[in-house]
Amino acid sequence: MRHNKVGSVMTTEVVRAEYGTPFKEVARRLGEHRISGLPVVDEDDKVIGVISETDLMIRQADTPDPYEPKKRSQLASMMPSARRQAAKARARTAGQLMTEPPVTVHADDTIVEAARTMAQHRVERLPVLDEAHRLVGIVTRRDLLTVFLRPDADIRTEVVEEVLVRALWLPPRSIDVSVTEGVVTLTGHMERKSEKEIAVSMTRQIDGVVAVVDGLTYRLDDARIQPDEQVVHGVADDWLRRM
């Protein structure tokens, strides 16, 4: 079973900046292209940092307000985060403004892996790198959500061919598979409980699947079989051992 790769949904024409790109030029590129961030690259096209609209707004927010009372304590300004923010507020170039190290993904990473990276780091876009770690694209949350636009018929075909036939060695029509708005319903009778668990688990991992309705039953609860009673049943057992 193959997940869609980041390279299949990324944008290849990337708006970028170099370390010495002036502050105003960075702002112009963001506004002109209507994007919320961009990567900063070195002379070898390797990503050394990223800049977001938030980074630019720090300068505006740090502008002194003549009517604001002065802070009594200087303790907050000594914190590392405060020092970084103060440095960005004085930034004149992309290199001084950028956040580093950059959070990136590779073109061969799966869409699932990219989504997890975005969620973990709470970012909206990720620079995409090739095998040599050079910038080849950019992927956004909207790009990753395109997997959920996958037609129901395509999802059903993958469930039948990859899960039932290839993984479980079952006849294509042995289990009833229906897909509505990305929700897959599996109905039928299977020989063993382990096969049922594999079918449901693998179906959940297919790109574009929103949820799985488990309507499967089984004859044998092979989880209760002792080791000396087990027999080799093929690919399904090998896949289960790797779960």
Side-chain angles (χ1 to χ4, degrees), residues 102-127:
V103 180
T104 62
V105 291
H106 283 79
D108 286 337
D109 289 345
T110 67
I111 289 176
V112 172
E113 291 170 331
R116 287 172 180 165
T117 300
M118 277 191 183
Q120 179 181 354
H121 294 276
R122 298 180 180 179
V123 295
E124 296 183 358
R125 57 181 54 230
L126 293 168

Side-chain angles (χ1 to χ4, degrees), residues 3-240:
H3 288 288
N4 286 336
K5 303 296 184 179
V6 170
S8 68
V9 297
M10 71 182 184
T11 299
T12 55
E13 295 182 3
V14 185
V15 180
R16 66 193 73 188
E18 294 73 40
Y19 189 93
T21 301
F23 179 99
K24 284 198 171 183
E25 175 61 18
V26 172
R28 187 190 66 79
R29 293 180 189 180
L30 291 179
E32 185 177 283
H33 295 276
R34 297 182 180 181
I35 54 178
S36 60
L38 53 73
V40 182
V41 299
D42 63 13
E43 61 276 6
D44 294 323
D45 246 6
K46 294 186 177 180
V47 182
I48 56 176
V50 293
I51 295 175
S52 69
E53 289 176 325
T54 303
D55 294 323
L56 274 73
M57 292 301 294
I58 288 176
R59 171 182 284 263
Q60 186 68 24
D62 200 62
T63 302
D65 184 347
Y67 300 102
E68 182 181 8
K70 293 184 178 181
K71 297 178 181 179
R72 296 181 179 179
S73 175
Q74 298 299 318
L75 181 61
S77 64
M78 298 173 61
M79 302 296 290
S81 58
R83 289 199 297 268
R84 287 194 297 269
Q85 181 164 322
K88 287 188 178 187
R90 298 189 300 269
R92 297 183 178 181
T93 66
Q96 297 169 339
L97 187 65
M98 69 184 184
T99 297
E100 54 181 330
V103 180
T104 62
V105 291
H106 283 79
D108 286 337
D109 289 345
T110 67
I111 289 176
V112 172
E113 291 170 331
R116 287 172 180 165
T117 300
M118 277 191 183
Q120 179 181 354
H121 294 276
R122 298 180 180 179
V123 295
E124 296 183 358
R125 57 181 54 230
L126 293 168
V128 183
L129 314 181
D130 62 11
E131 298 86 349
H133 303 290
R134 292 188 175 89
L135 181 68
V136 292
I138 199 86
V139 66
T140 66
R141 289 182 180 178
R142 180 172 297 179
D143 296 328
L144 300 185
L145 288 175
T146 58
V147 298
F148 293 108
L149 301 178
R150 190 179 183 192
D152 289 342
D154 289 356
I155 296 174
R156 183 185 184 281
T157 297
E158 185 168 348
V159 173
V160 173
E161 294 181 355
E162 298 294 332
V163 179
L164 301 183
V165 177
R166 182 169 297 182
L168 295 172
W169 294 0
L170 297 174
R173 298 182 181 179
S174 59
I175 298 298
D176 181 64
V177 181
S178 63
V179 185
T180 304
E181 296 294 326
V183 178
V184 181
T185 300
L186 303 175
T187 308
H189 188 73
M190 307 191 79
E191 179 65 19
R192 297 180 296 158
K193 182 180 180 181
S194 61
E195 292 177 335
K196 163 183 150 67
E197 293 173 344
I198 291 171
V200 173
S201 178
M202 290 188 70
T203 299
R204 285 198 181 105
Q205 297 178 48
I206 290 176
D207 292 333
V209 171
V210 176
V212 177
V213 178
D214 179 8
L216 298 171
T217 59
Y218 55 89
R219 184 187 68 82
L220 176 65
D221 185 354
D222 51 344
R224 298 182 179 182
I225 298 177
Q226 296 301 316
D228 57 352
E229 297 178 88
Q230 292 183 1
V231 293
V232 176
H233 285 272
V235 174
D237 296 86
D238 182 60
W239 194 92
L240 185 64

